[in-house]
């Protein structure tokens, strides 16, 4: 309990965990070489994972968004899983074959228009009966922009200011219909009460929006907001705007420290200490006994990082082909051909001083006596994001997170599609339920209810809209001058 | 009608937006007004259309409120309605209307390809191009009109077509031996550019798509005749339109327009006739039903309208289907007219052999008699 007292600001652990599943469409973590791995694009893969997750009372099913196909050394990247459907289209299809599970779409604020995106998310929210969520992400590079009309128009420094203006506009769009705006009867004078819908205007640096929203509130009022940024700006943005943080801190001590930081920022932003939930990304490798689980982990890693993946990983930092090198031998003695590392685009790597990095890595591998494969495997596996062990041991570990409130749950990336949740749902979930730290039924019908989130209060901006268009007209007019 | 004409079997499409084609249809619907904007409503109408034997369901959409005034002011996204219906149905083709002017072509192409995956190859695209000032203002863009509208639409279709081909069919190889998931020689940049003559703000799209080639290879693309006439299909072979929707103010003019387009297109595109329908129902004549609804909001439509009993509609549709490849019906009130269509009209047309068979799991291309198209980039990679 001392741990939770440290969190402070009146934060109260719920004592419960929630699971989400992150179906990864483009990544090196999903095993495709095993015979039991299925299609990454066929609908049945998505259906099976979503329905298994729902059987296991998962709060949410996540999908990423693809805006440009990954590249490696100037060509599409050949080695890892690639190709995925549009998130909201897939989630709308899953809404028809599931009843309770939340449906989370990762959607970018840079290459979408606020009015369109808010409308589509609202639509998903209504068609699913109040189960939609938006995982807000930002991009700023011209390489991604090459697929869009606007191109690469946004500076890195501006991406959060832009994102926040976007999210606030979306919230105003979701606030624009009064509750019960639609008439209750076919004999009413009109389908919706006159004056019950407000026009939303925003005249910003990158976008202007002048739009009369087309959809009412959903059963959960509006889509739940997820956010994953980890920089100080990203954390403050989340503390002001998000309902749930998709965090990068699953290891216990890091999770507690992150919770403490987020609680402090949330309270500073004028919100309640418990208003922002935290669900770190994670991977589970489970078996009946600890030794079987460790064996399984070796097998999973060997399939995630094969010889070609190991070389390709180095190639992106060396900026050249390394196919002549033995993956089971030492790191290349030749130097990178680039000054900055030539990132494998679209996979989240960031540039670094290449020569310096190569020297450092060679020394590190030599020191540890590692081959290329061993070195890369160590670099790429998120050790702290993986829970490996027997069902009972992992359940004990997770129970501690629940009791202290270090996290509110975990976002699980299965390493196998479509059977990747079977053992979690069949074995781990019952163990957690026995310990009283996992729900035994859905809390309600909406995602907001599953997560224990408060219903939003109408935003101040929406009230301003209601108070009078005149003020806005003036503001817009002045900006045009 | 000759015996030869009778052998010709067409398809029937049904427009499922809102509560029906009449603006006041919501007053005659069998549900509370707020229940229109739910998954349950999408489920029940699509399943009713499929059970009735319709071949195609279309979902109208647009960037603004559908009606305004006294009538329905809300609408769920059409791609999502179609996607929601995908796994719930087996045979009916699902065709959302999707804007080509104010939406991002890259997103549109991805959404439609995804719809093809979740429906098992039963997806199509009804191209819309509206260019009003209010539509533009929603996304901070200028008005697009006249010939520019058709060119914007044509560009958007071309971007999608290129992106759908940007993965060859066998680009995902999952080759354990070499560790390659993809054969990158079978992935292609779309490298689309609007060109110097483009009237609006020019743009480019790089590609490849982020989703493998749709199940059908290319989704069938439908466009209203108005858009085609102003440039979208000036050259049918290049414009990439598979079917044209024809409206006319009267049934006589509609028949003439169908004949005219069939002659001009020489079978290069499917011809779909658009008809508004009001049937005698619930002990009321069709004319009385319209009058009642018109008393609330008058029904102005650019389509030819049939008002009368089911037997007369059977005769009319048999005639039109002998000439057109398909007919799209816009019932005045879905909940009422779909019942009558289902009980009295479709069974009789089927008995007469006027309707193409309904084939579970068949693709939209198969319904249109289109083969699976070769990939435009296939020879480049090999």
């Amino acid at each position: 309990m001392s741990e939770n007292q440290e969190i402070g600001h009146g934060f109260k652990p719920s004592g419960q965990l929630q699971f989400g599943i992150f179906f990864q469409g483009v990544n090196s973590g999903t095993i495709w070489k095993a015979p039991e791995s299925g299609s990454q694009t066929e609908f049945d893969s998505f259906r099976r994972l979503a329905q298994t997750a729902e059987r296991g009372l998962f709060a949410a099913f996540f999908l990423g968004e693809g805006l440009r196909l990954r590249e490696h050394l100037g060509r599409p990247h050949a080695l890892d899983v690639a190709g995925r459907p549009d998130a909201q289209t897939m989630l709308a299809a899953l809404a028809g074959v599931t009843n309770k599970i939340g449906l989370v779409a990762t959607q970018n604020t840079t290459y979408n228009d606020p009015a369109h995106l808010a409308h589509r998310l609202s639509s998903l929210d209504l068609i699913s009966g109040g189960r939609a969520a938006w995982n807000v992400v930002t991009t700023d590079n011209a390489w991604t922009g090459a697929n869009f009309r606007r191109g690469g128009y946004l500076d890195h420094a501006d991406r959060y200011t832009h994102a926040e203006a976007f999210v606030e506009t979306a919230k105003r769009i979701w606030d624009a219909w009064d509750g019960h705006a639609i008439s209750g009867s076919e004999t009413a004078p009109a389908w919706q009460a006159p004056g019950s819908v407000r026009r939303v205007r925003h005249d910003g640096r990158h976008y202007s929006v002048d739009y009369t929203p087309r959809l009412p509130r959903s059963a959960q009022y509006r889509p739940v907001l997820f956010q994953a940024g980890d920089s100080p700006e990203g954390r403050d943005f989340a503390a002001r705007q998000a309902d749930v943080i998709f965090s990068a801190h699953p290891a216990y001590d890091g999770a507690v420290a992150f919770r403490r930081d987020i609680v402090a920022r949330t309270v500073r932003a004028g919100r309640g200490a418990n208003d922002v939930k935290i669900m770190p990304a994670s991977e589970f490798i489970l078996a009946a006994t600890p030794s079987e689980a460790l064996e399984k982990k070796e097998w999973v890693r060997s399939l995630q990082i094969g010889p070609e993946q190991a070389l390709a990983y180095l190639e992106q930092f060396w900026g050249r082909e390394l196919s002549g090198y033995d993956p089971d031998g030492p790191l290349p003695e030749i130097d990178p051909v680039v000054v900055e590392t030539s990132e494998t685009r679209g996979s989240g790597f960031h540039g670094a001083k290449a020569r310096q990095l190569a020297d450092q890595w060679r020394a590190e591998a030599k020191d540890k006596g590692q081959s290329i494969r061993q070195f890369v495997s160590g670099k790429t596996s998120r050790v702290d994001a993986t829970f490996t062990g027997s069902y009972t041991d992992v359940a004990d570990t997770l129970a501690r997170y629940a009791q202290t409130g270090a996290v509110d749950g975990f976002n699980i990336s299965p390493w196998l599609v479509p059977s990747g949740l079977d053992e979690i749902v069949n074995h781990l979930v019952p163990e957690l339920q026995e310990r009283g730290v996992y729900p035994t039924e859905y809390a309600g019908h909406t995602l907001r209810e599953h997560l224990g989130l408060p219903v939003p209060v109408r935003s101040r901006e929406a009230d301003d809209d209601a108070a009078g268009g005149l003020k806005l007209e003036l503001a817009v007019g002045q900006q045009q001058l | 009608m000759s015996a030869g004409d009778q052998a010709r079997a067409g398809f029937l499409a049904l427009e499922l937006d809102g509560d029906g084609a009449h603006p006041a249809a919501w007053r005659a619907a069998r549900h509370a007004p707020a229940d229109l904007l739910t998954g349950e409503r999408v489920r029940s109408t699509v399943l009713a259309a499929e059970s009735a034997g319709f071949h195609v369901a279309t979902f109208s959409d647009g960037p603004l409120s559908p009606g305004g005034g006294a009538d329905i002011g809300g609408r769920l996204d059409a791609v999502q309605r179609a996607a929601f219906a995908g796994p719930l149905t087996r045979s009916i083709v699902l065709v959302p209307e999707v804007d080509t002017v104010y939406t991002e072509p890259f997103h549109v192409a991805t959404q439609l390809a995804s719809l093809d995956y979740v429906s098992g190859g039963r997806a199509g695209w009804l191209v819309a191009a509206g260019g009003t000032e209010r539509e533009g203002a929603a996304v901070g863009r200028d008005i697009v009109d006249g010939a520019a509208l058709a060119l914007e639409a044509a560009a958007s279709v071309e971007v999608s077509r290129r992106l759908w081909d940007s993965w060859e069919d066998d680009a995902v190889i999952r080759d354990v031996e070499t560790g390659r998931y993809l054969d990158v020689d079978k992935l292609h940049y779309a490298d689309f550019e609007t060109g110097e003559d483009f009237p609006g703000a020019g743009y480019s799209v790089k590609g490849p798509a982020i989703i493998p080639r749709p199940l059908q290879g290319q989704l069938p693309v439908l466009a209203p005749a108005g858009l085609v006439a102003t440039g979208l299909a000036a050259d049918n072979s290049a414009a990439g339109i598979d079917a044209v929707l024809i409206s006319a103010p009267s049934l006589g003019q509609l028949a003439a327009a169908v004949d005219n387009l069939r002659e001009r297109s020489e079978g290069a595109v499917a011809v779909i006739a658009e008809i508004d329908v009001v049937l005698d129902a619930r002990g009321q004549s069709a004319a009385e039903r319209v009058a009642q609804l018109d008393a609330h909001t008058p029904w102005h439509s650019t389509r030819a309208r049939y008002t009368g009993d089911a037997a007369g509609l059977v005769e009319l549709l048999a005639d039109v289907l002998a000439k057109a490849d398909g007919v799209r019906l816009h019932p005045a009130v879905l909940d009422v007219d779909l019942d009558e269509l289902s009980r009295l009209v479709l069974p009789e047309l089927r008995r007469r052999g006027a309707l193409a068979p309904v084939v579970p799991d068949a693709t939209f291309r198969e319904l249109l008699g289109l083969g699976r198209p070769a990939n435009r980039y296939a020879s480049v990679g090999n």
Side-chain angles (χ1 to χ4, degrees):
Chain A
M1 289 308 284
S2 62
E3 283 157 326
N4 103 56
Q5 280 160 4
E6 284 172 38
I7 289 167
H9 295 286
F11 172 79
K12 290 190 192 66
S14 71
Q16 293 278 302
L17 295 175
Q18 302 282 342
F19 282 164
I21 165 187
F22 188 20
F23 185 118
Q24 298 215 45
V26 175
N27 69 102
S28 56
T30 308
I31 291 171
W32 54 265
K33 294 176 188 171
E36 57 267 52
S37 71
S39 167
Q40 287 285 133
T41 36
E42 276 170 27
F43 181 68
D44 273 342
S45 295
F46 294 84
R47 185 207 308 258
R48 177 162 165 196
L49 274 162
Q51 290 179 340
T52 304
E54 189 164 81
R55 183 163 59 81
L57 304 173
F58 277 43
F61 182 97
F62 280 70
L63 286 174
E65 182 188 43
L67 300 175
R68 184 145 181 205
L69 202 64
R70 283 198 301 179
E71 285 178 0
H72 179 65
L73 303 183
R75 303 191 70 194
H77 189 39
L79 299 178
D80 299 333
V81 164
R84 59 176 152 202
D86 172 68
Q88 291 199 60
T89 307
M90 178 54 72
L91 293 174
L94 290 172
V97 294
T98 56
N99 292 305
K100 300 279 190 161
I101 193 166
L103 304 165
V104 192
T106 301
Q107 304 273 271
N108 203 291
T109 52
T110 312
Y111 297 107
N112 281 292
D113 287 303
H116 286 165
L117 186 62
H119 174 69
R120 292 189 76 228
L121 287 163
S122 205
S123 182
L124 183 65
D125 206 15
L126 285 160
I127 214 165
S128 65
R131 296 190 277 141
W134 171 21
N135 179 33
V136 183
V137 294
T138 64
T139 307
D140 58 65
N141 59 74
W143 181 77
T144 307
N147 280 333
F148 298 93
R149 292 185 204 249
R150 290 176 198 273
Y153 68 95
L154 193 62
D155 289 337
H156 188 75
D158 290 339
R159 65 201 171 111
Y160 275 116
T161 26
H162 173 72
E164 193 149 2
F166 190 119
V167 168
E168 280 181 357
T169 304
K171 284 184 174 176
R172 286 168 57 207
I173 288 172
W174 295 329
D175 276 335
W177 286 48
D178 286 342
H180 310 291
I182 304 174
S183 75
S185 125
E186 74 281 3
T187 56
W191 189 81
Q192 66 199 69
S196 61
V197 177
R198 275 162 297 279
R199 188 168 162 185
V200 173
R201 275 168 281 191
H202 167 80
D203 202 358
R205 194 166 140 210
H206 300 294
Y207 282 94
S208 66
V209 175
D210 179 353
Y211 176 66
T212 304
R214 289 174 285 158
L215 287 172
R217 297 177 193 174
S218 76
Q220 64 172 357
Y221 193 110
R222 69 180 178 217
V224 170
L225 291 187
F226 284 69
Q227 205 270 339
D230 202 29
S231 64
E233 297 81 17
R235 292 183 187 200
D236 277 333
F237 173 47
R240 285 192 297 268
Q241 301 289 352
D243 298 304
V244 187
I245 298 180
F246 187 1
S247 88
H249 304 280
Y252 187 81
D253 291 344
V256 170
F258 185 74
R259 164 70 80 189
R260 195 179 302 125
D261 182 54
I262 292 301
V263 165
R265 287 175 198 264
T266 306
V267 169
R268 250 192 334 263
R271 300 173 71 193
N274 279 68
D275 281 5
V276 179
K277 308 294 176 188
I278 300 174
M279 294 176 77
S282 61
E283 177 193 52
F284 286 82
I285 302 177
L286 307 171
T289 66
S291 62
E292 280 174 68
L294 281 175
E295 255 175 60
K296 194 188 270 183
K297 186 176 177 177
E298 286 301 303
W299 176 80
V300 169
R301 290 289 179 258
S302 71
L303 286 174
Q304 286 170 329
I305 302 292
E308 301 83 7
Q309 280 81 11
L311 288 176
Y313 181 81
L314 293 188
E315 282 171 352
Q316 70 194 331
F317 297 100
W318 261 254
R320 64 201 291 171
E321 272 210 53
L322 299 172
S323 53
Y325 285 82
D326 177 6
D328 294 315
L331 267 59
E333 283 303 329
I334 55 164
D335 280 325
V337 298
V338 287
V339 181
E340 293 278 310
T341 59
S342 155
E343 56 187 286
T344 291
R345 291 173 179 278
S347 60
F349 289 102
H350 297 291
K353 295 262 183 277
R355 177 82 70 88
Q356 207 175 318
L357 192 77
D359 286 344
Q360 194 185 315
W361 281 5
R362 276 191 289 254
E364 191 181 330
K366 202 170 174 186
D367 202 40
K368 295 180 182 164
Q370 287 176 324
S371 68
I372 290 176
R373 276 175 86 165
Q374 289 162 332
F375 177 80
V376 173
S377 187
K379 277 277 172 241
T380 52
S381 57
R382 296 268 329 275
V383 178
D384 60 348
T386 304
F387 293 89
T388 309
S390 68
Y391 306 118
T392 54
D393 289 352
V394 170
D396 286 339
T397 304
L398 297 190
R400 182 179 176 218
Y401 284 84
Q403 283 145 8
T404 60
V407 301
D408 297 286
F410 294 91
N411 252 308
I412 302 168
S413 291
W415 38 267
L416 206 54
V417 167
S419 61
L421 288 186
D422 292 1
E423 55 191 9
I424 292 170
V425 168
N426 295 342
H427 300 293
L428 180 63
V429 163
E431 294 272 357
L432 293 169
Q433 287 169 327
E434 268 177 38
R435 286 163 179 73
V437 298
Y438 192 88
T440 51
E441 58 184 11
Y442 278 106
H445 294 279
T446 69
L447 177 56
R448 211 172 277 284
E449 288 170 311
H450 307 335
L451 294 172
L453 290 165
V455 173
V457 286
R458 170 174 281 188
S459 70
R460 189 179 53 79
E461 290 83 353
D463 289 338
D464 285 349
D465 287 354
L470 184 63
K471 197 166 67 183
L472 266 166
E473 295 279 10
L474 281 172
V476 171
Q478 279 161 358
Q479 272 167 320
Q480 280 167 345
L481 293 174
Chain B
M1 186 186 302
S2 74
D5 284 338
Q6 290 229 355
R8 210 186 133 80
F11 63 86
L12 283 183
L14 182 66
E15 169 51 45
L16 287 180
D17 191 49
D19 279 318
H22 197 293
W26 62 276
R27 297 182 183 278
R30 282 199 206 103
H31 61 87
D35 292 342
L36 172 67
L37 304 172
T38 60
E40 206 37 60
R41 174 67 182 173
V42 176
R43 185 193 312 263
S44 66
T45 48
V46 173
L47 290 178
E50 184 171 71
S51 336
F54 279 93
H55 302 80
V56 178
T58 63
F59 305 86
S60 273
D61 207 352
L64 301 175
S65 286
D71 299 310
I72 297 174
R75 174 189 262 161
L76 299 170
D77 177 79
V79 175
Q80 288 186 25
R81 277 180 281 160
F84 181 89
L88 303 174
T89 49
R90 276 294 298 283
S91 64
I92 198 161
V93 167
L94 304 164
V95 183
E97 185 176 343
V98 182
D99 168 69
T100 50
V101 179
Y102 295 118
T103 39
E104 280 287 352
F106 191 84
H107 289 321
V108 169
T110 311
Q111 289 166 21
L112 289 165
S114 305
L115 177 62
D116 207 39
Y117 276 97
V118 303
S119 65
R122 289 182 286 121
W125 175 12
L126 173 49
V127 168
T132 66
E133 195 179 338
R134 283 187 59 215
E135 286 169 283
V139 294
R141 283 181 53 198
D142 292 336
I143 187 167
V144 177
D145 54 11
L149 205 58
L151 288 169
E152 281 270 5
S156 192
V157 172
E158 176 62 15
V159 172
S160 284
R161 294 276 194 210
R162 289 198 198 189
L163 287 170
W164 293 337
D165 272 349
S166 66
W167 294 51
E168 292 185 36
D169 289 316
D170 46 0
V172 176
I173 50 171
R174 300 168 77 110
D175 186 47
V176 175
E177 201 63 19
T178 62
R180 290 180 308 148
Y181 182 84
L182 300 175
D183 178 351
V184 296
D185 290 336
K186 293 182 172 171
L187 293 173
H188 306 278
Y189 292 103
D191 279 332
F192 173 83
E193 278 184 41
T194 46
E196 282 175 16
D197 298 338
F198 196 68
Y203 64 93
S204 59
V205 172
K206 182 73 186 168
I210 52 140
I211 180 170
R213 196 168 189 232
L215 296 179
Q216 295 182 87
Q218 291 277 329
L219 275 68
V221 178
L222 285 56
L227 207 51
V228 176
T230 50
L232 187 53
D235 171 5
N236 273 336
S237 59
I241 299 302
D242 299 294
V244 175
L245 294 154
I246 296 195
S247 292
S250 73
L251 290 166
Q253 286 164 293
L254 181 67
V258 166
D259 281 342
N260 182 276
L261 182 67
R262 282 187 64 81
E263 240 167 70
R264 278 195 297 134
S265 71
E266 296 172 345
V269 294
V271 177
I272 304 172
E274 301 256 51
I275 301 178
D276 285 335
V277 167
V278 204
L279 293 171
D280 300 346
R282 296 182 177 181
Q284 277 190 307
S285 77
E288 282 167 351
R289 289 182 51 219
V290 173
Q292 245 173 31
L293 293 172
D294 276 353
H296 292 285
T297 313
W299 188 12
H300 302 295
S301 165
T302 53
R303 294 178 290 264
R305 184 184 308 171
Y306 173 83
T307 309
D309 66 5
L313 182 62
V314 168
E315 294 305 325
L316 169 69
L317 290 179
D319 277 353
V320 179
L321 285 168
K323 290 174 178 163
D325 299 275
V327 172
R328 178 162 76 145
L329 298 180
H330 300 258
V333 180
L334 269 174
D335 284 346
V336 178
D337 293 294
L338 182 49
D339 268 0
E340 304 301 314
L341 290 164
S342 165
R343 279 193 315 121
L344 302 173
V345 178
L346 273 76
E348 178 59 17
L349 287 169
R350 262 196 300 276
R351 200 187 60 74
R352 293 188 185 194
L355 294 185
V358 168
V359 185
D361 301 323
T363 68
F364 190 15
R365 293 190 74 87
E366 285 163 354
L367 176 68
L368 292 172
L370 300 169
R372 197 169 185 287
N375 189 310
R376 76 186 64 194
Y377 300 111
S379 58
V380 179
N382 294 335

